Amino acid sequence: MNKNKKSKVEKKLKDEDIIKTVDEVIDSFTNYHLYKLTSKKVIKEIKGSFSSGKESKLFWGKGFNNEDLAIKIFLTSTAEFRKSIKEYIYGDPRFESVPNKFRSLIYLWAKKEFNNLKRMKKYDINVPEPKGLSGNVLVMEFIGENGYRAPLLNEIYKELDSETILKIYNEIKENLVKMICDANLVHADLSEYNIMYWNSKVYIIDVSQSVDLNHPNAFSFLKRDLKNVYSFFSKLINVEEYEELERGTMPCLTRKEE
């Protein structure tokens, strides 16, 4: 980025007071992408962080229609994270090449999550609606209220009765069928830690690693997802045998094998 252009962007960001609460993750490159998303009328204001992870930090923000936004800033630069990124990109037919430059790799990873969300939303899968993307900044629908994110399944299951847990289980299965058979995607990291429950509805989150069905490891990723789901729910309620869960969530793949 041109040094003078970057300085003007930073000054404009400061003058417009877009970011109310910032910390060390907001570097000059991230500021530039936040500015672009503001110019495109995607982000009006960032209020503060509500979640942190190994690969990203999430901020609560507001859009120009006063809607709540989740702003995900990808930031990790560890060798372990770079290795894991490549595991889910190499072999995915949507990506012809994988850049070696770290920043380009992170931008590709953010784009991958944005595209996965768009594809899933297209087929009515319960995921946060993607709102915008620039560089390492992904903007999504905020699931929750007043800056407090919706609870994850692992945080709330003890408060739920068996009937509600069964409803959640069936809703997850329905979403998995649509993900596999309609969107032709595999989540590849599905568990009770990335499923939200809000207003009596399941939301599947964290889909950056999700792969196309033609990825060479798609089937093993899918089996891992199903085993995670089965392991969690089978301890809480009476469910079908694992093999039946597998057949029921992969009807399109079963038909292809026949």
Side-chain angles (χ1 to χ4, degrees):
M1 188 194 309
N2 180 278
K3 189 175 180 181
N4 291 332
K5 184 176 181 182
K6 191 195 299 183
S7 297
K8 287 179 182 177
V9 167
E10 290 172 343
K11 183 178 185 302
K12 188 169 181 63
L13 279 166
K14 184 178 179 182
D15 290 346
E16 292 186 1
D17 195 25
I18 296 164
I19 301 174
K20 297 290 185 184
T21 306
V22 297
D23 59 19
E24 69 278 2
V25 307
I26 309 294
D27 58 17
S28 58
F29 290 97
T30 301
N31 264 333
Y32 173 70
H33 293 296
L34 288 169
Y35 171 68
K36 286 182 70 175
L37 289 162
T38 301
S39 300
K40 294 176 180 177
K41 304 291 185 184
V42 177
I43 300 173
K44 184 177 182 182
E45 178 185 3
I46 297 180
K47 289 183 170 290
S49 173
F50 67 86
S51 182
S52 295
K54 290 185 293 183
E55 67 179 57
S56 62
K57 191 153 189 172
L58 283 144
F59 290 83
W60 171 41
K62 287 286 185 178
F64 281 80
N65 294 317
N66 202 41
E67 72 276 24
D68 287 325
L69 302 173
I71 301 157
K72 188 172 187 177
I73 297 176
F74 292 86
L75 52 98
T76 303
S77 59
T78 64
E80 182 184 349
F81 181 57
R82 294 185 199 197
K83 184 180 178 181
S84 68
I85 282 178
K86 291 180 179 180
E87 179 186 2
Y88 295 101
I89 293 179
Y90 281 127
D92 193 316
R94 297 173 296 170
F95 304 98
E96 294 180 0
S97 61
V98 181
N100 289 319
K101 188 177 177 183
F102 173 68
R103 187 170 292 113
S104 299
L105 190 61
I106 283 293
Y107 290 176
L108 180 62
W109 192 245
K111 183 179 180 181
K112 186 170 185 278
E113 179 151 23
F114 181 75
N115 288 342
N116 284 339
L117 286 170
K118 281 178 64 179
R119 194 153 147 185
M120 291 178 186
K121 203 69 183 174
K122 177 182 176 182
Y123 292 101
D124 198 32
I125 297 159
N126 292 356
V127 295
E129 182 180 354
K131 300 286 188 179
L133 173 74
S134 184
N136 63 322
V137 183
L138 167 63
V139 185
M140 304 169 281
E141 170 190 8
F142 184 86
I143 310 299
E145 64 181 354
N146 298 324
Y148 293 95
R149 65 162 175 81
L152 301 173
L153 192 53
N154 74 299
E155 298 169 335
I156 201 173
Y157 74 93
K158 291 180 181 179
E159 302 171 24
L160 305 174
D161 58 35
S162 298
E163 186 179 348
T164 303
I165 292 172
L166 179 59
K167 175 182 175 293
I168 291 170
Y169 177 66
N170 288 328
E171 193 172 334
I172 291 169
K173 289 196 295 181
E174 289 170 11
N175 276 271
L176 279 170
V177 171
K178 287 188 281 189
M179 190 181 296
I180 299 159
C181 297
D182 299 333
N184 293 320
L185 289 172
V186 174
H187 186 282
D189 191 30
L190 190 63
S191 75
E192 64 272 22
Y193 296 95
N194 44 35
I195 297 169
M196 285 180 161
Y197 189 61
W198 184 246
N199 289 336
S200 302
K201 185 176 178 180
V202 160
Y203 288 89
I204 294 171
I205 61 169
D206 291 339
V207 301
S208 54
Q209 74 292 321
S210 299
V211 299
D212 187 274
L213 275 180
N214 290 311
H215 188 285
N217 295 324
F219 197 70
S220 62
F221 290 155
L222 176 55
K223 285 203 166 188
R224 185 176 65 190
D225 285 352
L226 293 176
K227 285 176 181 176
N228 286 341
V229 169
Y230 185 80
S231 175
F232 178 74
F233 282 96
S234 62
K235 294 172 185 175
L236 304 177
I237 56 173
N238 291 322
V239 295
E240 72 268 60
E241 294 297 320
Y242 171 75
E243 290 74 19
E244 190 177 338
L245 167 66
E246 195 174 277
R247 287 193 299 271
T249 50
M250 298 189 288
C252 51
L253 300 186
T254 305
R255 286 196 297 271
K256 285 179 184 178
E257 290 172 357
E258 291 172 352

